[in-house]
């Protein structure tokens, strides 16, 4: 418990510090998280290739705008951008995957190989590029770390109070075959307390109104909870408890960010609607 508490404090301090310090520190931290996430997902799928790191790195750089004029750090989601050069470049890389499989020495089932490759890209790369855009979801399109920090706080609130409520009064299983310990009561409790947390956040993070924060908390509670179940599905299939051991007592990057990775496109879409 002491190790878990200490490592948790260090992790939270680094995450908050990097988010609030600058956009560059935020990018660097999440680039590191993405590389670790790729490694962990390769372990889950038992499929290893350096191509994941190359594709992930290029996508990440395009998403931060780092390949543009020096100093232009506005994140552009390469897959959904109006910048056709960035988008087409990513698609060329993705289709290059077919050639890698074609000339591979050891030929496996190409459907299985392609499925794992594209799933890794979808689950361990794309969400991190979307996360980069979340702090820029405002009227001025400038970096605002408190937006992302607010999302993280709401995710932590959902996870924490869903667990506590489930332990206290949970009786009806939410989805037993995937996650036996999660209950319907826990999920409802997590949502209620997250709405309360959003109300408090609106007093201090005033870039959004109370109504907008409440809407965001609902999006995060629903899709963050589904993300938790998706990660449990992968770990159950791989027959492992944790995706990694980067954070002692807490697991790996996929364990800590499972809710955020799945919820990130829905968060981004919601923030775009209200901005």
């Amino acid at each position: 418990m002491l190790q878990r508490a200490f490592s948790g404090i260090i992790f939270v301090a680094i995450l908050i510090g990097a988010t609030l310090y600058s956009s560059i520190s935020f990018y660097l931290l999440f680039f590191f998280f993405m590389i670790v996430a790729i490694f962990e997902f390769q372990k889950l799928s038992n499929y290893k290739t350096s191509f994941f790191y190359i594709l992930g790195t290029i996508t990440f750089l395009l998403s931060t705008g780092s390949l543009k004029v020096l100093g232009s750090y506005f994140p552009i989601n390469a897959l959904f951008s109006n910048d056709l050069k960035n988008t087409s470049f990513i698609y060329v890389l993705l289709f290059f995957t077919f050639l890698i499989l074609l000339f591979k020495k050891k030929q496996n089932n190409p459907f299985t190989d392609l499925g794992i490759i594209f799933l890794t890209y979808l689950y361990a790369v794309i969400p991190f590029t979307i996360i980069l855009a979340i702090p820029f979801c405002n009227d001025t399109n400038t970096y605002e770390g408190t937006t992302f920090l607010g999302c993280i706080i709401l995710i932590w609130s959902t996870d924490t109070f869903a667990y506590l409520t489930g332990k206290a009064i949970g009786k009806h299983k939410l989805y037993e075959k995937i996650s036996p310990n999660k209950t319907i009561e826990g999920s409802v409790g997590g949502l209620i307390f997250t709405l309360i947390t959003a109300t408090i956040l609106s007093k201090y993070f005033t870039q959004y109104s109370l109504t907008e924060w409440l809407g965001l908390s609902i999006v995060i509670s629903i899709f963050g909870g589904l993300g938790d179940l998706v990660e449990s599905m992968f770990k159950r299939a791989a027959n492992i408890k944790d995706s990694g051991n980067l954070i002692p007592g807490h697991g790996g990057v996929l364990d800590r960010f499972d809710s955020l990775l799945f919820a990130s496109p829905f968060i981004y879409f919601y923030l775009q609607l209200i901005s």
Side-chain angles (χ1 to χ4, degrees):
M1 285 299 295
L2 182 62
Q3 180 191 54
R4 180 181 173 85
F6 180 74
S7 61
I9 291 171
I10 296 298
F11 169 73
V12 170
I14 292 174
L15 179 62
I16 294 177
T19 299
L20 296 181
Y21 184 71
S22 72
S23 61
I24 298 177
S25 61
F26 179 70
Y27 294 159
L28 290 175
L29 180 63
F30 275 88
F31 176 73
F32 170 73
F33 285 153
M34 182 195 69
I35 295 299
V36 176
I38 292 173
F39 174 80
E40 291 178 357
F41 200 79
Q42 286 188 106
K43 186 174 69 173
L44 281 174
S45 62
N46 195 29
Y47 190 96
K48 297 181 180 180
T49 171
S50 58
F51 181 71
F52 289 137
Y53 299 103
I54 297 171
L55 182 60
T57 299
I58 292 175
T59 303
F60 196 92
L61 290 174
L62 290 173
S63 299
T64 62
S66 298
L67 298 184
K68 290 181 173 292
V69 179
L70 184 64
S72 177
Y73 287 99
F74 180 75
I76 300 173
N77 190 317
L79 293 180
F80 307 106
S81 172
N82 291 325
D83 189 336
L84 294 179
K85 289 187 295 183
N86 281 2
T87 306
S88 60
F89 189 51
I90 289 297
Y91 291 157
V92 166
L93 281 175
L94 286 172
F95 274 84
F96 193 73
T97 305
F98 296 107
L99 298 181
I100 293 176
L101 293 180
L102 181 63
F103 295 106
K104 196 177 178 185
K105 287 183 179 180
K106 184 180 178 181
Q107 292 289 338
N108 299 318
N109 186 325
F111 294 103
T112 302
D113 288 351
L114 284 171
I116 294 174
I117 289 172
F118 284 106
L119 179 59
T120 302
Y121 189 69
L122 180 66
Y123 191 74
V125 174
I126 291 179
F128 286 98
T129 69
I130 298 175
I131 286 169
L132 296 184
I134 289 175
F136 289 86
C137 291
N138 52 62
D139 294 335
T140 58
N141 290 329
T142 55
Y143 181 80
E144 198 164 290
T146 53
T147 298
F148 177 75
L149 183 57
C151 293
I152 287 294
I153 291 172
L154 293 176
I155 287 173
W156 288 340
S157 174
T158 298
D159 291 345
T160 301
F161 288 108
Y163 171 78
L164 294 176
T165 306
K167 291 287 286 185
I169 61 173
K171 293 181 179 179
H172 301 88
K173 300 297 183 181
L174 179 65
Y175 198 19
E176 189 170 8
K177 73 175 184 178
I178 295 296
S179 187
N181 295 324
K182 288 183 173 58
T183 64
I184 295 174
E185 291 85 355
S187 296
V188 173
L191 173 59
I192 292 172
F193 280 101
T194 302
L195 289 170
I196 296 172
T197 303
T199 303
I200 298 172
L201 278 179
S202 68
K203 304 293 184 182
Y204 300 96
F205 296 171
T206 56
Q207 63 267 45
Y208 300 120
S209 67
L210 170 59
T211 303
E212 290 168 340
W213 276 115
L214 290 175
L216 181 58
S217 69
I218 294 173
V219 170
I220 286 175
S221 289
I222 293 173
F223 293 104
L226 290 172
D228 197 348
L229 289 174
V230 169
E231 173 68 7
S232 296
M233 176 182 67
F234 287 137
K235 290 191 292 186
R236 182 171 289 273
N239 196 30
I240 62 173
K241 183 179 183 295
D242 295 321
S243 64
N245 55 8
L246 178 68
I247 311 165
H250 294 269
V253 168
L254 294 179
D255 294 313
R256 290 303 89 207
F257 289 112
D258 52 1
S259 297
L260 178 62
L261 293 180
F262 190 86
S264 60
F266 301 97
I267 294 171
Y268 178 73
F269 181 68
Y270 173 79
L271 293 178
Q272 285 295 307
L273 287 177
I274 66 175
S275 296

